[in-house]
Amino acid sequence: MKVIGVNGSPRKKWNTATLLENALEGAASRGAETESFHLYDLDYKGCVSCFACKTRDGKSYGRCAVQDGLSALLNKLETADGILLASPIYYGTVTGEMRSFMERLLFPYMTYTDPPGSLFPRKIRTGFIYALGATEEMAKDRGFDRHIALNELFLQLVFGASETLCSFDTCQFEDYSKVFAPRWDPEKKARRRAEVFPVDCRSAFEMGIRIAG
Ligand SMILES: Cc1cc2nc3c(=O)[nH]c(=O)nc-3n(C[C@H](O)[C@H](O)[C@H](O)COP(=O)(O)O)c2cc1C
């Protein structure tokens, strides 16, 4: 059982990365072999609409034909038994790097059939972890639920199963006194980091256990 984690945050040790690490530890606690990748270390672009992955009898049918810094990761993911994606929310959606990665990951496997089908060789479990500065209420007001539902839908369609974990109201800055951000109360954020973030990390660990099946 191999579980692969993909970190879509530019920060390798802050909220998103920590949640993902906990999820991978959960998977490892069930005997899974785990590996993680930082998208910001890789040099790649999103889908370029070449349609090689859709070309009848083409040598790249069902696979991304673009060869760049993402290719090795996409090849590894084809052999995964579980996939964990993690991203901060930037302007209401995942980071640009995560979005571009998702285009390259999902589009080759999705068939333009009615209903849509999947060319991914197996049914596996996937999880998506989101870290966001907004409170749960703020996120709901801005329609974030819809965003989650769409990503769940595409992941389910391609891989078979998908679940979601949101870590709301994250502590964005290590030291709020050094930045101009009067919107946030530093004490509230520190309390949240001390009291709620560890609970989110535990939920991530449990998600990892489920992904490892
Ligand atoms: C460019 C940028 C845009 C952001 N936009 C949002 C947003 O739309 N909604 C939100 O809740 N948080 C937003 N945030 C806050 C981050 O989602 C939050 O700080 C998250 O914890 C960052 O993940 P990290 O700690 O792993 O870096 C934004 C942060 C940045 C840097």
Side-chain angles (χ1 to χ4, degrees), residues 9 11 14-17 88-92 131-134 142 170 172:
S9 171
R11 302 201 280 184
W14 208 233
N15 297 290
T16 310
I89 293 305
Y90 283 4
Y91 292 101
L132 51 165
R142 292 177 196 158
T170 55
Q172 185 170 11

Side-chain angles (χ1 to χ4, degrees), residues 99-146:
R99 198 75 219 158
S100 294
F101 158 75
M102 287 171 71
E103 291 169 6
R104 298 274 302 280
L105 174 69
L106 301 175
F107 191 66
Y109 293 129
M110 270 183 74
T111 59
Y112 274 139
T113 47
D114 192 13
S118 173
L119 298 171
F120 190 75
R122 296 172 306 290
K123 295 271 177 238
I124 63 169
R125 295 195 175 125
T126 67
F128 213 138
I129 299 169
Y130 303 98
L132 51 165
T135 62
E136 190 164 1
E137 297 71 44
M138 285 161 73
K140 209 174 201 142
D141 285 350
R142 292 177 196 158
F144 187 58
D145 287 357
R146 175 91 191 117

Side-chain angles (χ1 to χ4, degrees), residues 4-10 15-21 23 37 39-40 83-89 94-95 98 101 127-131 165:
I4 297 180
V6 180
N7 174 27
S9 171
N15 297 290
T16 310
T18 306
L19 291 158
L20 179 60
E21 248 170 56
F37 292 84
L39 290 179
Y40 281 75
I83 297 175
L84 285 159
L85 307 183
S87 179
I89 293 305
V94 293
T95 56
M98 175 54 79
F101 158 75
F128 213 138
I129 299 169
Y130 303 98
L165 172 69

Side-chain angles (χ1 to χ4, degrees), residues 99-209:
R99 198 75 219 158
S100 294
F101 158 75
M102 287 171 71
E103 291 169 6
R104 298 274 302 280
L105 174 69
L106 301 175
F107 191 66
Y109 293 129
M110 270 183 74
T111 59
Y112 274 139
T113 47
D114 192 13
S118 173
L119 298 171
F120 190 75
R122 296 172 306 290
K123 295 271 177 238
I124 63 169
R125 295 195 175 125
T126 67
F128 213 138
I129 299 169
Y130 303 98
L132 51 165
T135 62
E136 190 164 1
E137 297 71 44
M138 285 161 73
K140 209 174 201 142
D141 285 350
R142 292 177 196 158
F144 187 58
D145 287 357
R146 175 91 191 117
H147 180 74
I148 293 174
L150 262 184
N151 283 345
E152 270 188 7
L153 178 80
F154 293 129
L155 287 168
Q156 266 162 24
L157 202 139
V158 169
F159 297 108
S162 167
E163 61 172 290
T164 301
L165 172 69
C166 295
S167 182
F168 294 102
D169 203 2
T170 55
C171 198
Q172 185 170 11
F173 309 110
E174 218 160 343
D175 184 349
Y176 277 74
S177 70
K178 288 191 177 150
V179 293
F180 181 66
R183 182 174 191 190
W184 306 114
D185 176 344
E187 277 173 26
K188 260 195 187 163
K189 284 288 188 187
R191 246 194 337 270
R192 182 97 193 163
R193 177 98 182 151
E195 293 168 9
V196 180
F197 191 64
V199 178
D200 292 341
C201 286
R202 181 69 212 173
S203 301
F205 186 90
E206 281 158 11
M207 178 193 252
I209 289 177

